[in-house]
Amino acid sequence: MLKLEARPEPSRAMSIASPLIALAITVAVGTCLFLLLGKDPLRGLAVFFVEPVKSVYALTELAVKATPLLLIALGLAVCFRSNVWNIGAEGQFIVGALFASGMAMQATPTTGGWFFIAVIAAGVVGGMCWAAIVALLRDRFNANEILVSLMLVYVAEQLLNYLVYGPWKDPAGYNFPQTITFLKSTQVPKLFTGFRVNVGVLIALAAVAGFWVLLFRTYAGFQLQVGGLAPAAARYAGFSSRKALWSALLVSGGMAGLAGGLEVAGPLGQLTPHVPAGYGFAAIIVAFVGRLHPVGIVFSAILMSMFYIGGELAQSRLGLPKSLTGVFQGLLLFTLLACDTLIAYRLRWKPARMSPGATPSAATSGEAPPAPVVASTTLPARRGT
């Protein structure tokens, strides 16, 4: 039977191949899913993997979707490498959008074109403030950061609904729950005329280079990673666990807030209840598929944005529910976790062990069974005869 056998050391080859195997399994399961739904699997796969890259416009839309995923995942990679489990990046993304929107609504027709910098900077501050709540509760009261950060997502959503349905609702918006459309001076400049892609893509690529330097070329990054891999060794070396906790969460929250600010000041141009698009949760998958490495996260962000666009196209062209996007994301995560087992273990075929006292049959062993031992039935002689 097949058994898992521990490797002498983790396999570097499997560490690279695991995401590729997970993607192949996801595609295979997706094919079966399309067949069960009565759809042409080739057309279904083309919607997810061909349509998002078939034209210049499609590539620019792919970049628009990948930018927030990339920014949030970079911050989460710092947290996870530091053994800080920030699951509430979605809430930090929303609060960053709130802060950025509040700043954008302060602009006037005479405001200069530089004001978009203040808008996205406000988004960064908002995300950091929301993450600071998690850090404070963990630092002072040893509260579990997983639960706290996750529950704060729902608080952020309620705060968003209160503002867009209440004090921030556009009085000329026909009673729709949305803010005013932001002035042009507050919006992030676009890279090309006629396309939605903006300078947020360049900011995200610059962040990739910056985080690579931080994690692998600076003493601060070394401290964070040692604190995550070996907390006892970090304490022995004199590294501050409190500093690592606050640094990781503030960086992660700031990146999520930056993504939120770029979203409302870029493609959306206003604040609506539909700002939370699930980027904060999807970025967790992006970070792990990218192996918590800035370069790997770029490719996994592109893949995840293809799932987002493919889900929207499957809804409009194939009549499938938009939730299919979440199905593909979940499949990719679970198959990746399963394949990651093969990094530290390998499959070996081992013959089944026989239970104690059992003898192999002639059919299985190929040998003649031993002759049975017959107990003597001769009774001992009776005394006196």
Side-chain angles (χ1 to χ4, degrees):
M1 66 175 64
L2 285 174
K3 289 191 174 182
L4 287 174
E5 180 183 89
R7 297 179 186 269
E9 58 183 15
S11 171
R12 188 184 181 98
M14 272 307 304
S15 179
I16 298 173
S18 178
L20 302 178
I21 298 172
L23 177 60
I25 296 174
T26 301
V27 171
V29 176
T31 302
C32 297
L33 185 61
F34 285 125
L35 288 172
L36 291 174
L37 293 172
K39 304 296 181 181
D40 182 4
L42 293 180
R43 188 181 176 194
L45 293 177
V47 163
F48 276 88
F49 298 102
V50 177
E51 293 292 334
V53 295
K54 68 179 298 186
S55 65
V56 175
Y57 175 78
L59 289 172
T60 58
E61 288 298 303
L62 192 68
V64 169
K65 292 286 187 183
T67 297
L69 291 171
L70 177 56
L71 290 171
I72 300 171
L74 286 172
L76 290 177
V78 173
C79 267
F80 296 154
R81 281 182 173 270
S82 306
N83 202 25
V84 178
W85 295 93
N86 178 17
I87 310 299
E90 181 79 356
Q92 294 144 27
F93 172 86
I94 295 171
V95 175
L98 294 180
F99 273 58
S101 299
M103 179 64 70
M105 288 189 292
Q106 305 305 313
T108 64
T110 59
T111 302
W114 55 267
F115 197 73
F116 80 93
I117 299 175
V119 172
I120 59 177
V124 173
V125 172
M128 294 177 71
C129 289
W130 210 244
I133 299 174
V134 182
L136 178 64
L137 293 176
R138 169 64 190 274
D139 184 24
R140 296 296 300 273
F141 305 103
N142 199 29
N144 188 295
E145 73 272 18
I146 297 176
L147 295 177
V148 173
S149 61
L150 183 59
M151 293 300 102
L152 282 175
V153 173
Y154 303 101
V155 178
E157 288 178 348
Q158 295 305 315
L159 183 59
L160 168 65
N161 290 331
Y162 165 73
L163 291 173
V164 295
Y165 281 93
W168 284 4
K169 186 165 68 171
D170 184 5
Y174 302 99
N175 207 34
F176 283 101
Q178 60 190 24
T179 64
I180 60 172
T181 301
F182 301 150
L183 298 178
K184 188 174 180 59
S185 60
T186 67
Q187 296 181 9
V188 181
K190 295 180 179 179
L191 289 179
F192 308 104
T193 304
F195 299 101
R196 294 199 305 161
V197 63
N198 54 50
V199 297
V201 175
L202 302 181
I203 295 174
L205 293 177
V208 171
F211 274 80
W212 182 83
V213 173
L214 169 67
L215 291 174
F216 305 114
R217 290 294 183 273
T218 64
Y219 185 65
F222 175 74
Q223 285 182 314
L224 289 173
Q225 295 190 72
V226 170
L229 294 173
R235 288 193 297 269
Y236 182 78
F239 298 162
S240 172
S241 58
R242 293 184 63 195
K243 181 180 178 181
L245 170 70
W246 279 89
S247 299
L249 280 170
L250 290 179
V251 168
S252 180
M255 294 302 292
L258 173 61
L262 288 172
E263 190 72 7
V264 295
L268 296 181
Q270 61 182 169
L271 186 67
T272 73
H274 306 292
V275 165
Y279 290 142
F281 295 119
I284 298 173
I285 305 175
V286 171
F288 279 105
V289 173
R291 286 287 177 260
L292 304 182
H293 191 286
V295 177
I297 288 173
V298 173
F299 295 102
S300 59
I302 294 172
L303 175 63
M304 196 61 61
S305 59
M306 292 173 70
F307 287 167
Y308 269 102
I309 295 175
E312 295 171 357
L313 294 176
Q315 183 183 23
S316 60
R317 299 185 182 182
L318 302 179
L320 294 174
K322 191 178 178 180
S323 57
L324 196 63
T325 300
V327 173
F328 272 92
Q329 291 175 355
L331 279 173
L332 183 62
L333 176 61
F334 285 117
T335 52
L336 177 69
L337 294 175
C339 293
D340 277 356
T341 306
L342 299 178
I343 297 176
Y345 296 86
R346 55 188 166 196
L347 290 173
R348 280 293 180 88
W349 178 265
K350 290 187 177 181
R353 293 183 178 180
M354 295 179 298
S355 58
T359 57
S361 63
T364 57
S365 64
E367 301 178 358
V373 178
V374 180
S376 175
T377 56
T378 305
L379 297 176
R382 298 174 68 180
R383 195 175 289 180
T385 57

